[in-house]
Amino acid sequence: MARVVVEVMPKAEILDPQGQAVAKALPRLGFNGVTDVRQGKRFELEVDGSVDDAQLEQIAEALLANTVIEDWTVRRIEA
Amino acid sequence: MARVVVEVMPKAEILDPQGQAVAKALPRLGFNGVTDVRQGKRFELEVDGSVDDAQLEQIAEALLANTVIEDWTVRRIEA
């Protein structure tokens, strides 16, 4: 079995209301010095040997990311 | 400015309905071989020099993760 991490983040030019909400809440909680926050998703997949990199990319494109507004990366963390 | 990544994932023993939904959808889309999926959050923070590691951990604990059901990690990716 292999473990794969897929990270999905909003594209840089896309408004990130969740990230902005966190950024605005931080000073109210007494945390200063954080100038920007972006929030995305992180998936950990357990895959067997039949799943190759091309399929992982298709999975990211088809199901895990909305490619109109999000970028994604795929990396294997354990063979 | 420094960039920091905070990753928040459901604790291993906690039911992850979102991850299960993705895992069940994959075969329907023709993707086999994925035996488990866990879904969490990924934050990218831009912080100035006044923010130290202890404050980053407090930010993760206080705002970014629900420590009852989630684990978190903090790492600096760019100085």
Side-chain angles (χ1 to χ4, degrees):
Chain A
M1 300 300 274
R3 289 177 73 81
V4 175
V5 171
V6 179
E7 292 168 344
V8 177
M9 293 299 288
K11 288 182 188 269
E13 66 276 15
I14 295 289
L15 188 69
D16 175 11
Q18 286 180 307
Q20 286 184 352
V22 171
K24 281 189 190 126
L26 285 169
R28 286 204 306 268
L29 291 170
F31 299 111
N32 298 304
V34 178
T35 53
D36 186 42
V37 176
R38 295 173 64 237
Q39 178 172 344
K41 294 172 282 192
R42 183 177 189 271
F43 298 90
E44 283 183 13
L45 282 64
E46 240 175 71
V47 301
D48 64 27
S50 70
V51 181
D52 61 25
D53 288 351
Q55 278 174 305
L56 289 172
E57 288 170 14
Q58 286 169 11
I59 288 171
E61 292 250 338
L63 189 61
L64 305 181
N66 172 348
T67 52
V68 173
I69 59 169
E70 293 171 326
D71 292 322
W72 53 268
T73 59
V74 172
R75 79 193 141 81
R76 288 176 184 266
I77 48 174
E78 274 167 35
Chain B
M1 299 300 273
R3 288 177 75 81
V4 175
V5 171
V6 178
E7 292 168 344
V8 177
M9 294 299 288
K11 288 182 190 267
E13 66 277 15
I14 294 289
L15 187 69
D16 174 12
Q18 287 181 305
Q20 287 185 351
V22 171
K24 282 188 188 126
L26 285 170
R28 286 203 307 269
L29 292 170
F31 300 110
N32 298 304
V34 178
T35 53
D36 185 40
V37 176
R38 295 174 63 236
Q39 178 171 343
K41 296 172 282 191
R42 183 177 189 272
F43 298 90
E44 284 183 13
L45 282 62
E46 240 174 72
V47 301
D48 65 27
S50 71
V51 182
D52 60 26
D53 288 351
Q55 280 174 305
L56 289 172
E57 288 169 15
Q58 285 169 10
I59 287 171
E61 292 251 338
L63 188 61
L64 305 182
N66 172 349
T67 52
V68 173
I69 59 169
E70 293 172 327
D71 291 324
W72 52 268
T73 59
V74 171
R75 71 191 148 82
R76 288 175 184 267
I77 48 174
E78 276 165 33

